[in-house]
Amino acid sequence: IGLQEVIDKTKSQDSVYLPPSPSNLDGHNSRINSMDSGISMATTTDMDTVMSVDVDEEKSGTIINEATIVCMSLKFLGKFALEVLGCSVSIITRHRYGWTIKNIGMLSFVNGCLVIPISTTVGYLSQYHDDWTLLIGLLCMSCTGVLLLIDVTDFGPEISENYFNDQNWWSVGPYRYIAGIILEFCGFQASQSVVLSMLSKVVPLSLAKGTFNSGFIATSLTSLARANGDVFITIMGFVSIRQLLNLLSIPALLLAAFSIMLVLFHRHELSI
């Protein structure tokens, strides 16, 4: 019964249906043709614009933009400072505080455990703040840690025969050294991810494809910074083991301060 009702309703609709007049069909078809032509013209214009932009970027591909140079420089400076202060922990703590391998390994373990939550927090905050703002905060955090590592008592005339002036309250003791090394390590390490994020947004088209791309250059800069950092530690060790902490901390502080000024000066290019 239900099927018969459906058939009857279909027949009644077919009998009532009146075809449109030829004039209405012509007007409808003309509107459709005009819409199609407009869409095709817009699509052609957009494709021409994209192709012209690609051609312009390819023509200027041999020139790296200023923001990319800034990001590459920040990558090198941050990794150099991180390598200098991170790889010298075993030398400084052994000669300055008499630490064992177990103590040194525990400090490295704590640094590794703190880097992950800090990087996760930075990734969450990146949804609400610009990359350069987060980078400034992390570099200020690193500067605070490096300031804690500078021993001002070693500049005075009275220097203890030990490897640090343990009788002076202003000297860098074990606890102050731990706090400083954790702050600077976490700050510099987390800032590297922010720098790479900015680099991915400002890199030109010529460095986004092929073998010699931005990833290859960033990896090469990281390896070069680590090698130069190890060489710098060796040279400063030959200069003075007693003053090794200041010889490494002061240059790292200067590099961190220079990185902050570099970000502030180029903040408009990095705000993407």
Side-chain angles (χ1 to χ4, degrees):
I1 298 175
L3 292 176
Q4 186 65 33
E5 291 178 354
V6 172
I7 294 172
D8 294 336
K9 288 182 180 179
T10 305
K11 289 181 179 180
S12 62
Q13 290 178 359
D14 292 338
S15 61
V16 175
Y17 173 74
L18 296 176
S21 61
S23 60
N24 293 334
L25 285 175
D26 294 337
H28 183 67
N29 292 333
S30 62
R31 288 195 298 269
I32 292 177
N33 292 331
S34 62
M35 291 175 61
D36 293 338
S37 61
I39 293 174
S40 62
M41 290 177 62
T43 305
T44 305
T45 305
D46 295 339
M47 291 297 295
D48 293 339
T49 304
V50 173
M51 292 178 64
S52 62
V53 171
D54 292 342
V55 170
D56 293 338
E57 288 186 355
E58 288 179 357
K59 287 182 179 179
S60 61
T62 55
I63 301 176
I64 302 177
N65 54 32
E66 186 175 357
T68 303
I69 297 176
V70 172
C71 291
M72 295 290 185
S73 302
L74 292 173
K75 178 70 175 176
F76 180 84
L77 295 176
K79 187 59 69 173
F80 179 84
L82 182 63
E83 186 73 12
V84 165
L85 295 176
C87 291
S88 62
V89 170
S90 59
I91 303 174
I92 293 175
T93 54
R94 180 180 178 183
H95 290 85
R96 191 177 179 91
Y97 309 119
W99 282 13
T100 61
I101 298 177
K102 182 180 180 180
N103 301 129
I104 299 171
M106 184 60 65
L107 179 59
S108 301
F109 174 76
V110 172
N111 283 332
C113 292
L114 291 177
V115 165
I116 296 176
I118 290 178
S119 299
T120 305
T121 305
V122 171
Y124 174 76
L125 294 176
S126 63
Q127 301 176 2
Y128 309 99
H129 303 280
D130 293 332
D131 288 340
W132 71 270
T133 307
L134 295 175
L135 185 58
I136 290 294
L138 292 172
L139 290 176
C140 291
M141 175 182 173
S142 302
C143 286
T144 304
V146 178
L147 282 173
L148 292 176
L149 298 178
I150 297 178
D151 195 343
V152 295
T153 61
D154 287 342
F155 299 111
E158 297 180 0
I159 300 177
S160 174
E161 295 181 357
N162 300 325
Y163 277 95
F164 80 104
N165 304 319
D166 51 354
Q167 302 299 327
N168 196 323
W169 187 82
W170 291 99
S171 63
V172 180
Y175 298 105
R176 181 176 166 182
Y177 179 82
I178 292 173
I181 206 70
I182 288 177
L183 285 176
E184 66 84 18
F185 183 84
C186 294
F188 277 125
Q189 191 68 37
S191 66
Q192 296 297 302
S193 59
V194 181
V195 172
L196 289 178
S197 175
M198 293 191 301
L199 180 61
S200 65
K201 299 174 183 177
V202 302
V203 64
L205 181 63
S206 59
L207 293 180
K209 58 184 180 179
T211 303
F212 192 75
N213 51 23
S214 59
F216 176 80
I217 297 176
T219 304
S220 300
L221 285 176
T222 301
S223 302
L224 184 62
R226 288 178 175 176
N228 290 335
D230 295 336
V231 172
F232 186 76
I233 293 174
T234 304
I235 294 175
M236 293 299 103
F238 281 118
V239 173
S240 175
I241 292 291
R242 175 66 175 79
Q243 301 287 341
L244 184 60
L245 182 59
N246 285 337
L247 291 175
L248 298 179
S249 299
I250 294 176
L253 179 63
L254 295 177
L255 292 179
F258 178 74
S259 299
I260 293 176
M261 292 188 295
L262 194 63
V263 174
L264 291 176
F265 185 76
H266 296 279
R267 63 184 182 276
H268 298 293
E269 291 86 353
L270 300 176
S271 300
I272 298 179

